[in-house]
RNA sequence: GCGCGGGUGGUGAAAUGGUAGACACGCCUGCCUUAGGAGCAGGUGCCGUAAAGGCAUGGAGGUUCAAGUCCUCUCCCGCGCACCA
């Protein structure tokens, strides 16, 4: 037998498989189907990287396994071929995107084939081909006709010096990628898809998919459903009113001003009332020029201008509050206006401090002790209690008085119960004197009431404490004697602010300390200064206040979403043209379906001019109106490439259909996708949009399911060997080609799968790759041991354990452990003199999904004529795994003291007897009372002895 | 800040509550040789010369005969979102 030469065998079998059409999904099969899909690649000029290899190897293993298990597998491949890089490349080199893209596809195809992927190439699709984008355009029209595509003005990134629209990724950090000039926002008429109509479905249906929890969370997060209240505030002296949205209506009595987004339409409507118009307009001008980035990340500092002469009425207090415009309020969320409650909202607090606006507390904090011995005990009775918390400052040093309670292990400020007939203030001063002896104390600030739920260890009960809290300064150190009773309970210590942080054990006292700095509390609590709502919890108040607003006809509960409608217009060449025509008489006219596709013209200067390049194509732009036949012009923008990738998984079911995007029959046969695999990095939007398309199709009756991807998994990123991301600029990129050349595709596949758990981020390692290579060499050598008189029984247990483990692991994508179990099997087989043909064949089948070429070669080497990949997956036989002897571990008081080998089936009593007899065990149990023995079948004996 | 993941040998990593470190890389010792990116045999968590034993899964508690795994708290790291009222 010859040496293992990956080069000759890999090419040979790749060609053979292709000629045999081995991986073509069978439309007529009666076997159950499985649709295994990769997130289809963008054919970049850099070619395949190791992340692609990881992705495609994983789904290839899975597909091969499923085929052997008797499924009719569809595992297609295609190209997400439109996009900006090809256009940029064209701008730089003059190569037409169509040319470079197809060159890249050729390159990708060759690389993928050299990996031995088992894709069905007969279904290959290319989103930049007219046969494909014809249906992308059809989808646009479908949405348009159903009121789900509409046009409105929207901001684009605009570079004044290049006179061009920039994609978001070209406008990083607010400067133009090319000329480094400032990017500004410019309004253009653009197309949107109404994805917000489906916001609730997009959240609700997440419960039906088997996806990673982080990805589900990301979808939820992106949609950002928020439940609150919208209500109107009338503007004094006008007939206008301001609608505000809030999730914290319980804080409404603490509203001290209102803020509108600078672009809010009311600002113009109220212009006659505004006294400082010049200042206001100047501010609006400034914010208009600001990019999205400056308004958010770069500009953390909040700014705003008061609308002098404008006041709005708080419907609850009937009192007027001033109105501001400020760019921390977003124009496109909620109503574009907020009620500001600085005492209970961080952003309002910041703004109020900067502009010196009043801060009114209306929520008293409620703290529940969650840790330590004072942890609140949910199921035990609760006693109400009233007492003060007093923060006492030293008369000369920057220190505060703390009480250390030795028996309870507490650290607190000074506290004391309020007795009948005493005010909280009186109580505070009285307690200071009684407990510390200090005589000259002055209450400087009242910090309000702090509520707390905790367990009172000395009294052995739960308490719900209500504590008026004071900040007191001592005038001097004059001090009377303190009673022995007080000093025995606790010890007084002077502490700095830093020391207090760790000293205070009670949550409520920590909160008191926080209130000393800032009267800001953003959690739920108990209402105060809120007239008839006083004493309610935040939760109760939200309900009651919403009801009240509704009754008064001023407002109602409202749900808002962060999700915005999907802007699909791109002022670019290399994309699918939007199939709309503008006629002076008929206006906006949809291109009739029979006229699709609207072809991308070739007579185009695709360099960016500032407008869509299509505008300057003679053959494209001028057209006759489909309705009235008068001269008209085409929409010159193209579609976001996310549109192309929102429906491609349907096309794979029926890739050559010229009449429909896919026939109902083929969709029903293949969809939904059973396993979808791709990187986690940029999938939030893709998944959102694809799910939106699916939901639209369902609603319009084209399909009968809600979610396109039943199961989703992500492969973790492959980092460079140095632990950093692979990048050309760092020069740490590994090209899969060189690895395949050197070690072979089988070794590369095995190595990447063995590197660690699929979903983890992993660093490439060029040293350890010899492990998988050696493993394959050993399998190769094993062939020499195959013999007619090989002893099957000797290795059956090992073999069948492996059958089970490999199958189970592939199903849960645990490829690293599947490979290790194959290594264990090979280690076992190497110990045998001779191996039966049956055993070896089973090994080859188990290994075939991972190392398709080598196993195919050896499969034929031992005399088979069919492909190993058409073989049946072996059936696990549990009875063959029963070994004659098992090792039992023996623990004494939980510690391992010895092991013993017993014949399988030994009774528990016998195991206990044998175990106790062992000298190593006798040593530990002799002369002690045996309290308990526990036997875990075939594994372990646990003996519990007394002292 | 919010939401997700993670912390286990020299390294990548394994472990339905049941002998922690499978498997692999590396390293050490020896063998063999047509000196290779070889192959074979043995060893390799830490402390302890060895044995006995002890200590070990970021840290602290808890539940249990038994905890990497379950519970509570805490520290650290990575990722995603982030002025969404």
């Amino acid at each position: 037998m010859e040496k293992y030469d990956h080069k000759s065998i890999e090419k040979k079998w790749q060609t053979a498989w292709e000629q045999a059409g081995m991986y073509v999904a069978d439309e007529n099969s009666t076997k159950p189907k499985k649709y295994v899909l990769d997130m289809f690649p963008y054919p970049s000029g850099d070619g395949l990287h190791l992340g692609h290899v990881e992705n495609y190897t994983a789904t290839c293993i899975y597909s091969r396994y499923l085929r052997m298990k008797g499924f009719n597998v569809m595992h297609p491949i295609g190209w997400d071929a439109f996009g900006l890089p090809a256009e940029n490349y064209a701008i730089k080199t003059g190569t037409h995107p169509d040319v470079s893209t197809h060159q890249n596809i050729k390159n990708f195809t060759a690389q993928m084939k050299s990996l031995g992927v088992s894709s069905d190439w007969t279904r290959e699709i290319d989103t930049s081909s007219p046969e494909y984008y014809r249906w992308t355009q059809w989808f646009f029209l479908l949405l348009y006709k159903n009121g789900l595509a509409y046009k409105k003005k929207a901001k684009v990134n605009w570079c004044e010096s290049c006179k061009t629209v920039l994609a978001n990724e070209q406008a990083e950090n607010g400067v133009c990628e090319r000329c480094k000039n400032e990017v500004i926002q410019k309004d253009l008429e653009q197309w949107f898809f109404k994805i917000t109509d489906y916001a609730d479905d997009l959240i609700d249906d997440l419960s039906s998919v088997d996806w990673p929890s982080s990805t589900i969370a990301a979808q939820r997060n992106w949609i950002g459903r928020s439940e609150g209240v919208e209500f109107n505030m009338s503007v004094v002296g006008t007939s206008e009113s301001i609608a505000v949205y809030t999730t914290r209506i319980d804080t409404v009595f603490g509203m001290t001003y209102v803020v509108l987004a600078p672009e809010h339409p009311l600002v113009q409507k109220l212009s006659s009332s505004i006294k400082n118009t010049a200042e206001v307009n100047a501010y609006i001008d400034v914010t208009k020029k600001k990019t999205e980035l400056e308004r958010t990340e770069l500009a953390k500092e909040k700014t705003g201008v008061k609308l002098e002469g404008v006041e709005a009425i708080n419907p609850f207090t009937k009192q007027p509050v001033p109105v501001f415009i400020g760019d921390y309020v977003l124009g496109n969320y909620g109503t574009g206006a907020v009620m500001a409650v600085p005492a209970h909202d961080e952003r309002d607090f910041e703004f109020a401090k900067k502009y010196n606006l009043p801060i009114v507390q209306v929520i008293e904090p409620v703290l529940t002790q969650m840790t330590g011995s004072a942890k609140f005990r949910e199921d035990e009775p609760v006693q109400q209690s009233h007492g003060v918390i007093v923060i006492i400052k030293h008369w000369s040093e920057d220190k505060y008085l703390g009480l250390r309670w030795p028996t309870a292990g507490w650290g607190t400020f000074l506290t004391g119960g309020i007795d009948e007939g005493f005010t909280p203030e009186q109580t505070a001063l009285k307690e200071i004197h009684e407990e510390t002896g200090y005589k000259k104390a002055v209450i400087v600030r009242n910090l309000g009431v702090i509520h707390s739920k905790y367990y009172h260890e000395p009294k052995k009960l739960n308490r719900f404490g209500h504590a008026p809290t004071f900040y007191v300064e001592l005038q001097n150190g004059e001090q009377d004697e303190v009673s022995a009773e007080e000093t025995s309970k606790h010890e007084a210590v002077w502490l700095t602010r830093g020391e207090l942080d760790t000293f205070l054990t009670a949550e409520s006292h920590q909160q008191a300390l926080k209130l000393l700095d800032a009267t800001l509390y953003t959690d739920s609590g108990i209402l105060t200064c809120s007239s008839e709502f006083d004493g309610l919890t935040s939760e109760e108040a939200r309900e009651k206040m919403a009801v009240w607003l509704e009754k008064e006809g001023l407002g109602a509960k409202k749900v808002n979403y962060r999700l915005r409608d999907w802007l699909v217009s791109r002022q670019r060449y290399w994309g699918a043209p939007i199939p709309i025509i503008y006629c002076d008489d008929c206006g906006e006219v949809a291109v009739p379906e029979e006229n699709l596709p609207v072809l991308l013209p070739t007579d185009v200067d695709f360099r960016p001019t500032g407008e869509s390049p299509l505008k300057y194509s003679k053959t494209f732009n001028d057209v006759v109106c489909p309705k009235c036949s008068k001269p008209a012009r085409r929409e010159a923008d193209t579609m976001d490439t996310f549109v192309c990738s929102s429906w491609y998984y349907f096309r794979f079911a029926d890739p050559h259909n010229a009449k429909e995007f896919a026939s109902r029959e083929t969709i029903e046969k293949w969809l939904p996708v059973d396993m979808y695999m791709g990187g986690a990095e940029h999938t939030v939007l893709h998944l959102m949009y694809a799910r939106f398309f699916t939901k639209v199709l369902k609603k319009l009756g084209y399909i009968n399911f809600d979610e396109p991807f039943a199961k989703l998994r992500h492969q973790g990123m492959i980092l460079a060997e140095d632990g950093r991301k692979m990048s050309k600029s760092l020069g740490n990129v590994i090209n899969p080609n060189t690895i395949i050349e050197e070690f072979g595709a089988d070794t590369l596949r095995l190595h990447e799968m063995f590197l660690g758990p699929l979903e983890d981020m992993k660093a490439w390692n060029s040293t350890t790759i010899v492990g998988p290579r050696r493993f394959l060499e050993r399998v190769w050598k094993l062939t020499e041991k195959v013999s007619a008189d090989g002893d099957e029984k000797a290795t059956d247990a090992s073999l069948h354990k492996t059958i089970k483990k490999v199958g189970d692991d592939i199903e849960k994508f645990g490829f690293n452990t599947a490979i290790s179990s194959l290594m264990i099997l090979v280690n076992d087989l190497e110990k045998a003199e001779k191996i039966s043909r049956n055993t070896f064949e089973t090994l080859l089948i188990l290994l075939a999904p991972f190392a398709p070429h080598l196993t195919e070669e050896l499969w034929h080497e031992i005399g088979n004529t069919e492909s190993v990949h058409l073989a049946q997956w072996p059936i696990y036989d549990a009875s063959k795994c029963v070994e004659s002897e098992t090792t039992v571990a023996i623990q004494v008081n939980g510690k391992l003291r010895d092991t013993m080998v017993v014949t399988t089936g030994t009774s528990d009593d016998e195991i206990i007897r044998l175990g106790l007899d062992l000298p190593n065990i006798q040593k530990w149990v002799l002369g002690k009372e045996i309290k308990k023995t526990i036997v875990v079948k075939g594994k372990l004996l646990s003996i519990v002895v007394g002292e």
Side-chain angles (χ1 to χ4, degrees), chain A residues 22-36 61-75 118 669-670 674-675 807 810-811 869-873:
Chain A
M22 285 242 312
Y23 310 119
V24 175
D26 184 355
E27 284 297 332
N28 303 312
S29 168
T30 54
K31 294 179 193 171
K33 72 92 187 179
K34 288 280 182 185
Y35 184 176
V36 181
I61 291 167
Y62 191 61
S63 300
R64 288 179 186 277
Y65 167 76
L66 290 176
R67 286 189 199 99
M68 289 166 130
K69 285 285 266 191
F71 289 96
N72 181 25
V73 173
M74 175 180 29
H75 180 42
S118 64
K669 179 173 180 66
W670 293 110
D674 295 284
M675 170 56 79
I810 292 177
E811 306 234 0
H869 303 294
L870 299 174
Q872 286 233 324
W873 191 257

Side-chain angles (χ1 to χ4, degrees), chain A residues 287-303:
Chain A
T287 54
K288 247 188 200 160
K289 279 188 197 131
K290 281 192 189 174
T291 64
E292 204 66 32
L293 244 103
E294 282 170 322
R295 273 188 68 170
T296 58
E297 277 163 64
L298 300 176
K300 280 288 175 209
E301 176 93 354
K302 294 177 181 29
T303 62

Side-chain angles (χ1 to χ4, degrees), chain A residues 126 128-136 597 599 647 651 655 657-658:
Chain A
D126 163 2
S128 71
S129 71
E131 297 78 48
Y132 185 90
Y133 70 68
R134 166 191 182 154
W135 298 107
T136 305
L599 286 171
W647 70 277
R651 189 62 177 174
N657 193 330

Side-chain angles (χ1 to χ4, degrees), chain A residues 119 181 242 380 516:
Chain A
S119 303
N181 266 308
I242 301 172
E380 292 185 36
L516 200 53

Side-chain angles (χ1 to χ4, degrees), chain A residues 82 96 98 118 134 218 245 258-259 375 397 424 428 431 437 485 542 736 771 798 809 814 835 874 887 905:
Chain A
F82 275 137
H96 193 280
D98 192 55
S118 64
R134 166 191 182 154
Y245 173 74
V258 167
V259 191
K375 185 184 153 105
E397 295 175 58
E431 290 289 341
E485 193 205 335
R542 276 172 218 153
S798 180
D809 281 355
I835 307 165
T887 306

